[in-house]
Structures are given as C-alpha cells and as structure tokens.
Amino acid sequence: MYCPTCHNEDSRVIDSRSVDEGQAIRRRRECPECGHRFTTLETPLLTVLKRNGVTEAFSRDKVVRGVRRACQGRSIDEDALRRLAQQVEDTVRARGASEVPAHEIGLAILGPLQDLDEVGYLRFASVYKQFSSADDFEREIIALRDRRATL
C-alpha cells in the first residue's frame, strides 16, 4: 500500500477491524518513511463471469440499472433499488466464491425483485429467462399467484 504523502511502497499495519458485518476490513497504517498515518478499507474482490467468458468486477450500480429498467414507469423508490442491490451482493458474497457466473447474479435478483414489484419481476424474468411466447408469461403469472396464495 503506497503512502498517500510520500508514495513509499511500504506501510505498517497498526490496527485492523472488521466493518460492514464482516464484509470489509478497516486498517490503520503508518508509513515507516515519513511517519504519516492513514486508513484503508479492504474488501474482497467479487468478479462476474459473463456468458462470453469475460470477467468484470461486480457492480451494484449495474444491478440497480437493470432493475430500474425492468421497473420503468412503476413507482419504485430509489432506496428500495439500492437495498435490493445490496441484498443481491450479500447473497452472492455469502456463497463464498470470488468469481460468480452472471447467471447466478440474475437468479439472486429474481427473488427480491418478485417481493419488490411483480410487474418489474415479470419484465426482468421475461428477458432473463428468455420468454418466447405468451404461454411463458402465463406460466410465470400462475407461479406468482400460487406463491402469493401460500404466503
């Protein structure tokens, strides 16, 4: 870790603490060269393996954009979208893998979105599950109704 003051490549860890319910580590560091103290926040890298084989860093903003697009024209609160994205990230990180297939991200979105907005869920599911006919929508609507009846 480079010192932000003198750019020395070395630093000494003075204190470490778990933050964000164990999702990150806050470290207090000191530069042995100039004595400057600074704080770092370290989080494990989570990458998404896309269908075409390319990997990219997981982005909550990308989840929010996709769900917002599915819920376009619906009265969905921005805070609810951010909470959903955080819930998706927590679900994916709980699996313990540092690289997650994009398919699993989509599955992690479907459950919370179904609870947030059924119309948005149907729109998202139609793209994610590649609906090809009205029958696909009908089957999904029946499943939604069945789920609602059991709650």
Side-chain angles (χ1 to χ4, degrees), residues 40-132:
T40 60
L41 186 64
E42 301 172 21
T43 57
L45 186 61
L46 180 62
T47 57
V48 178
L49 177 61
K50 300 179 88 169
R51 280 182 246 186
N52 62 4
V54 174
T55 59
E56 65 180 41
F58 175 84
S59 168
R60 264 187 257 148
D61 290 336
K62 199 167 181 180
V63 172
V64 168
R65 280 194 309 271
V67 173
R68 185 183 295 126
R69 196 174 311 123
C71 295
Q72 191 171 353
R74 310 281 299 158
S75 58
I76 304 299
D77 184 32
E78 281 297 312
D79 287 337
L81 292 176
R82 284 193 289 278
R83 282 191 304 273
L84 182 142
Q86 181 63 53
Q87 188 177 357
V88 168
E89 183 176 0
D90 292 345
T91 300
V92 171
R93 283 191 186 276
R95 293 188 176 133
S98 63
E99 187 174 274
V100 178
H103 177 75
E104 289 187 25
I105 305 288
L107 288 175
I109 291 171
L110 287 174
L113 182 54
Q114 191 174 19
D115 295 335
L116 179 66
D117 185 69
E118 289 180 343
V119 173
Y121 167 80
L122 283 172
R123 290 174 178 169
F124 188 89
S126 71
V127 173
Y128 180 73
K129 294 181 177 183
Q130 300 175 344
F131 288 3
S132 59

